[in-house]
Amino acid sequence: MIAGLTSGLTETALALLPQWGPWLVGLTTFLSCLALPVPASVLMIAAGAFVGAGDLALGTVAGAAWGGAIAGDQLGYRLGRRAGRWLPAPTSRKGRLMREAAARLKARGTATVFLTRWLFSPLGPWVNLAAGAAGYDAPRFGLAAAAGEAVWVGLYVGLGLAFGANMQAATALAGDAIGVLSAAAVAAYLGARLRRAARSGARARPRAHH
């Protein structure tokens, strides 16, 4: 049921894109940053294809997508700050995502905000709420979020420009690229943890007396 609804929503959004253009792209990125199931990435790829065909302007498409995403991030942050009692229950799936987001923020605040805009994007809306609820520094959050959203917009609109004639190939390439980058990021993180653990163990090991 949900898959069918999402598919129908995507088809409707794509059909409306030539008419509404940047307004629709901006609205979609805004809603996606509030954890609503809208096809933001697919729509940005399609908008990039229209830019490549000369039907839309690159500046307005990219600006609308970026502005919508930033507005969604800021609204999520402020909702987290003001409405803590309305946040998902800790035992629910959304509650578990919130806990994971909070743990990531505590460990690597700025990097977490930046990377969850595009590399670990399913966590993005929950990081917004967690950052607000935890009182994370607002200017630091805003700068990291804006930088991450610029990467997200540039990546997907750029793919539409490059592969406009083949939406399926562009979407598949985006998924593959994000998967590879995610695996590399996880590997780098685990490697850093192992190196720190090895150094800590070496320091803690008593030295032999001669």
Side-chain angles (χ1 to χ4, degrees):
M1 176 69 177
I2 293 177
L5 179 61
T6 302
S7 176
L9 185 60
T10 301
E11 291 176 5
T12 301
L14 290 173
L16 291 173
L17 184 58
Q19 180 180 359
W20 294 99
W23 294 101
L24 183 60
V25 174
L27 176 63
T28 307
T29 57
F30 171 77
L31 294 175
S32 74
C33 293
L34 298 174
L36 295 176
V38 292
S41 297
V42 172
L43 208 60
M44 283 194 288
I45 291 174
F50 278 109
V51 170
D55 297 319
L56 295 175
L58 177 59
T60 54
V61 166
W66 190 53
I70 290 174
D73 288 338
Q74 288 295 326
L75 179 57
Y77 175 86
R78 295 182 187 283
L79 285 173
R81 178 161 272 186
R82 295 176 180 275
R85 67 193 184 95
W86 299 107
L87 295 179
T91 55
S92 68
R93 177 182 174 276
K94 292 180 179 180
R96 290 194 294 273
L97 286 170
M98 278 286 294
R99 290 201 306 275
E100 183 179 349
R104 286 177 180 265
L105 270 173
K106 186 176 180 181
R108 296 284 187 277
T110 302
T112 293
V113 175
F114 174 74
L115 292 175
T116 53
R117 305 307 94 181
W118 59 280
L119 187 57
F120 305 111
S121 54
L123 277 175
W126 311 109
V127 167
N128 297 342
L129 291 169
Y136 188 75
D137 184 68
R140 185 177 296 177
F141 171 85
L143 287 172
E149 299 298 10
V151 174
W152 184 46
V153 171
L155 175 64
Y156 283 92
V157 174
L159 282 169
L161 275 167
F163 294 91
N166 193 335
M167 276 280 296
Q168 189 173 3
T171 305
L173 181 60
D176 292 342
I178 294 297
V180 169
L181 289 171
S182 298
V186 170
Y189 173 73
L190 292 175
R193 289 286 300 270
L194 287 171
R195 285 195 296 273
R196 283 198 298 271
R199 285 198 296 267
S200 298
R203 285 195 297 267
R205 196 178 301 121
R207 295 182 180 178
H209 294 286
H210 297 289

